[in-house]
Amino acid sequence: MASALESSTSPRPSSLPAAESEDSQAAHPLRRAMDALYRGCAIVAGSALVLISLVVPWGVYTRYVLDSASSWPEPMAVLLSIVLTFFGAAVCYRSGIHMRVTVVRDLLPAGARRAVDLVAEGLMIVIALFMVIWGGRLVAATWQQVIAEFPFLSVGVTYLPIPIGGAITLLFIAERLLIGPPPQRTDWREAAPD
């Protein structure tokens, strides 16, 4: 299990060539399922970002050009920001592009790096469980409330991305622990400078 946590920058095991190793990982059913979930989350988060970038200028246009401000763009942008945040966080975690500081970890010997990686994954499990449990409670507590600008929409529905994002993050953590991180196509530290 600990060897599965080695980072994508760690040397590949010498028993398999890199291409063979990536092909066998891609063929794993769990990897294929997580790839599909990852793509779905990226589409949801990207769509939310595009909609935010359309809704906010509309609100500005109606307020300053038409001199008759719409009441719905601002709350809609906030609701879409919740979707973007929690689905986008799961995407960033799986792809390894989230903010992290690995200077000390990278200086440690291989065994200590694996231990640090296990501790980090354990902390991620705690955070994801917090999102699932307390996010679920928030959804349940606000289910009967409605948003003034969108009376057809329950407040609880708007908070659903919190427990769903936590559950998806838990699945991505399980993937890392069971079969290792997804193969990285490129490592930004090895890329040529701009």
Side-chain angles (χ1 to χ4, degrees):
M1 178 164 82
S3 64
L5 289 177
E6 288 199 30
S7 90
S8 60
T9 59
S10 302
R12 298 240 179 237
S14 57
S15 61
L16 288 175
E20 242 181 82
S21 175
E22 283 184 18
D23 288 342
S24 65
Q25 278 192 350
H28 196 284
L30 178 60
R31 179 76 71 209
R32 285 196 312 271
M34 292 300 106
D35 285 344
L37 183 59
Y38 171 80
R39 280 190 295 277
C41 287
I43 289 168
V44 168
S47 299
L49 183 60
V50 168
L51 289 172
I52 290 169
S53 65
L54 295 173
V55 165
V56 170
W58 176 255
V60 171
Y61 175 76
T62 58
R63 173 171 287 155
Y64 295 108
V65 176
L66 300 180
D67 205 26
S68 175
S70 296
S71 62
W72 63 268
E74 185 179 346
M76 176 65 77
V78 170
L79 299 177
L80 290 169
S81 295
I82 295 170
V83 172
L84 172 63
T85 299
F86 291 98
F87 283 88
V91 167
C92 290
Y93 171 78
R94 183 174 191 259
S95 62
I97 59 172
H98 53 83
M99 188 174 88
R100 61 183 169 194
V101 180
T102 61
V103 175
V104 174
R105 179 222 174 258
D106 292 344
L107 294 174
L108 296 173
R113 275 197 311 265
R114 283 191 292 275
V116 168
D117 288 345
L118 281 173
V119 168
E121 296 298 339
L123 292 173
M124 282 303 301
I125 289 170
V126 169
I127 291 168
L129 283 172
F130 179 84
M131 289 167 52
V132 169
I133 295 167
W134 290 98
R137 289 180 181 177
L138 179 63
V139 168
T142 58
W143 195 261
Q144 299 303 322
Q145 300 172 15
V146 294
I147 300 169
E149 290 82 3
F150 309 108
F152 57 88
L153 189 62
S154 164
V155 174
V157 170
T158 66
Y159 290 132
L160 272 175
I162 300 170
I164 292 172
I168 292 170
T169 303
L170 278 173
L171 290 173
F172 290 156
I173 294 167
E175 173 194 25
R176 261 181 203 275
L177 293 174
L178 294 173
I179 60 175
Q184 300 293 318
R185 302 296 178 227
T186 58
D187 185 354
W188 64 270
R189 291 176 279 197
E190 295 172 3
D194 291 335

